[in-house]
Amino acid sequence: MNRRDIGLTAAAAMAVLAVGGCDGAKTAGGGEKATPAAAATAAVTPVPLPVGPNFPVPAATINGWVANNDTAAIQGHAWSLWQAMTAPSGQSVGQQQLPIWDTWADATTVFPQPQAQNASLKTEAAAKPGADRRFQSPAQFHHTKDARLRALAMAAHAKFPIAVDVKFDPQAAGFIGAPQSGPGGGTYSYASSASLTKLNAAWPAGTTPQNRGINEFPVQAIETKPVFGLVKASGLTVQPLWQGPSASTNATHPTPDTWMTCVLVQPGASGAVRAATTAEISSVAASVQAQHLACKTYLWAPLSTFYADQMNAAEAQSFNAATENGAVQAAAGDYSVLLAMHVNTKEIPFWTWQTFWWQPGGDTPNNFPGSKQGQPSGLGAPWNNYAACTAYAQTTTSGGATMTVCFNPYLETSPGIPVGVTSNCVSCHGVALIGNASYPADYKKPIAFFTDPNYFTTLTTHTDFSWAVADAPP
Ligand code: HEC
């Protein structure tokens, strides 16, 4: 359970990347003796989700579930994706065997910064994500153009540190990395905003907003947004536990710092979730106060209820940079823990949407916005400590008026997102457009993709629901 003994190998990987500017693969292979073996350990080969009866499921089948509002089938599919993604990959970093999803390339690899644009380097990077996790601040929080909302979002984010590491399965990464055909016989890179801006300007006059879209991702494409928190190597770490908006001091924007139930997480321990002892509670009192957390009820749980990774110095530094939090700082040896994960698959044209969050012990009251119900019996720990909700369509019935509600308590509760707890994934991602980064003004009714003139105009190009592509770096 650690990715740590990679100090040397990470440095070697950097060396590969540095020489990659000339001719990555070859130079690394023929370089000094120590480098190739070390670099091989540091690199992770992305493992695709196995193809079978449960993936990819034919679009007609999934659309049938949607049409019939077959929530059991939809929830069942979310769990089968989770079970498949979290299965051991055969790839290891240090002593830790990675689940399949954690072998996938992250945003820093799939969207290389401009200085790393050399073609051979790109191929090397796309094929082999590094061993070190590179944490990012969730762009979703500072994405809004409304400065007031952005300030509120960042203030809440600064109280309770979380970081993301957006990842793409080999099909999605390959699609974003490959040259894509477009209007005027041109070829475009979906990994570069400079190229996407050219695409945006290249549509022949008269092209309808509907037809101004990037090419669609392949059916087996999967995008994920894992969310990580911090557990200190020693002592008890205070981790707020989602128990629904009514167990928060702010029912409209119930961000983790407002949750009134908290779990004291202990590394190196075992046992079931239980009430915390008086001694345990007093040992964290100062920390709760320093972080301005809303904890009133305390539980205890072992670290093993999470998917957890011990961080090296570089990862701890990356976590601290992504979380901008003064009260809690990560250090080498501390753990990054998986708090939550968004998962999209392109099995249907408007994608499937499911999200998972840490929920050890019982489900939330009212199972809101989802639960652990329907988990496959073969789903082992720690993955069975996560609850899920789904939004395979904007409305609960085809053509209906009732919006599907599905959100992740760690993300869409942010005050930077106006109506996160009464909305869903699809509505917001459907308005991902090149050169127009606004969120939908109104989620009360479904948005007509890609014809609603409020969003889809002749000035923009829709990006197949991918905010990552809409927000590509230069
Ligand atoms: C209010 C808008 C909004 C809502 C609602 C929303 N997202 Fe996102 N999402 C974003 C933005 C912006 C990003 C850009 C990357 C980031 O935040 O780091 C993103 C990123 C992602 C990514 C990474 C790939 C990509 O497209 O950029 C996934 C996967 C994802 N979201 C899934 C979901 C799921 C599943 C839900 C519902 C449970 C959801 N999102 C709800 C705005 C939203």
Side-chain angles (χ1 to χ4, degrees):
M1 108 106 121
N2 82 68
R3 308 159 58 114
R4 284 192 70 204
D5 53 343
I6 49 177
L8 189 155
T9 55
M14 295 292 283
V16 173
L17 292 177
V19 294
C22 312
D23 185 351
K26 245 194 249 152
T27 318
E32 23 356 322
K33 286 216 169 69
T35 310
T41 333
V44 173
T45 304
V47 176
L49 207 65
V51 168
N54 294 324
F55 182 81
V57 169
T61 306
I62 298 181
N63 284 330
W65 301 335
V66 172
N68 297 324
N69 193 23
D70 186 345
T71 48
I74 291 171
Q75 189 83 359
H77 186 55
W79 284 127
S80 86
L81 290 171
W82 183 244
Q83 187 171 27
M85 289 170 61
T86 58
S89 65
Q91 299 275 312
S92 295
V93 172
Q95 271 113 60
Q96 172 136 330
Q97 168 137 215
L98 302 176
I100 285 177
W101 66 264
D102 212 4
T103 66
W104 295 348
D106 74 5
T108 61
T109 308
V110 175
F111 293 90
Q113 291 297 318
Q115 64 267 30
Q117 294 255 323
N118 176 288
S120 63
L121 172 57
K122 230 181 190 172
T123 315
E124 170 75 14
K128 291 177 173 136
D132 276 2
R133 196 182 298 289
R134 285 167 288 190
F135 297 99
Q136 314 269 309
S137 172
Q140 195 180 4
F141 292 167
H142 30 91
H143 201 267
T144 171
K145 284 188 179 135
D146 183 325
R148 190 186 64 88
L149 292 183
R150 194 165 55 240
L152 287 172
M154 294 320 288
H157 176 49
K159 277 198 186 164
F160 183 75
I162 61 165
V164 301
D165 182 25
V166 170
K167 290 197 165 221
F168 302 84
D169 83 331
Q171 299 273 342
F175 172 80
I176 294 169
Q180 295 287 341
S181 62
T187 303
Y188 302 90
S189 164
Y190 292 176
S192 147
S193 68
S195 184
L196 289 164
T197 306
K198 286 191 197 129
L199 161 67
N200 207 16
W203 297 107
T207 309
T208 60
Q210 167 111 42
N211 289 335
R212 289 170 191 253
I214 64 165
N215 297 330
E216 287 192 47
F217 280 69
V219 164
Q220 286 173 43
I222 305 176
E223 298 188 319
T224 68
K225 185 162 155 181
V227 178
F228 297 92
L230 172 67
V231 169
K232 298 297 286 178
S234 60
L236 295 168
T237 297
V238 185
Q239 170 61 51
L241 179 73
W242 174 249
Q243 291 290 292
S246 61
S248 154
T249 54
N250 183 339
T252 323
H253 291 294
T255 49
D257 56 293
T258 70
W259 300 349
M260 294 188 286
T261 307
C262 294
V263 183
L264 308 183
V265 180
Q266 184 165 2
S270 57
V273 179
R274 56 163 171 80
T277 64
T278 316
E280 285 164 347
I281 297 169
S282 42
S283 78
V284 299
S287 165
V288 170
Q289 201 170 21
Q291 294 182 76
H292 306 286
L293 298 178
C295 313
K296 297 224 156 45
T297 304
Y298 289 89
L299 302 173
W300 174 97
L303 174 71
S304 57
T305 51
F306 287 105
Y307 173 60
D309 252 347
Q310 212 163 12
M311 291 186 275
N312 62 25
E315 290 174 315
Q317 197 182 21
S318 161
F319 186 89
N320 291 336
T323 52
E324 308 149 33
N325 179 294
V328 186
Q329 292 281 310
D334 289 344
Y335 296 89
S336 68
V337 296
L338 184 74
L339 293 175
M341 178 148 60
H342 279 340
V343 179
N344 309 341
T345 71
K346 183 69 186 179
E347 292 166 284
I348 48 176
F350 288 4
W351 299 75
T352 73
W353 303 84
Q354 40 263 307
T355 194
F356 303 85
W357 61 92
W358 187 64
Q359 193 84 70
D363 275 322
T364 51
N366 308 323
N367 297 328
F368 182 77
S371 71
K372 298 196 281 189
Q373 286 170 19
Q375 280 186 343
S377 54
L379 185 67
W383 308 110
N384 56 5
N385 291 317
Y386 293 81
C389 70
T390 59
Y392 283 21
Q394 293 187 87
T395 51
T396 56
T397 53
S398 303
T402 307
M403 298 298 283
T404 306
V405 173
C406 175
F407 62 91
N408 197 299
Y410 289 92
L411 292 171
E412 286 80 33
T413 48
S414 168
I417 298 170
V419 285
V421 299
T422 51
S423 68
N424 64 70
C425 327
V426 204
S427 305
C428 183
H429 275 260
V431 303
L433 296 157
I434 296 167
N436 177 9
S438 294
Y439 288 154
D442 184 357
Y443 294 90
K444 286 198 282 294
K445 50 184 183 355
I447 294 165
F449 302 129
F450 302 98
T451 54
D452 183 333
N454 290 319
Y455 303 104
F456 308 101
T457 69
T458 54
L459 300 174
T460 62
T461 302
H462 46 94
T463 57
D464 197 15
F465 297 83
S466 176
W467 274 114
V469 170
D471 290 346

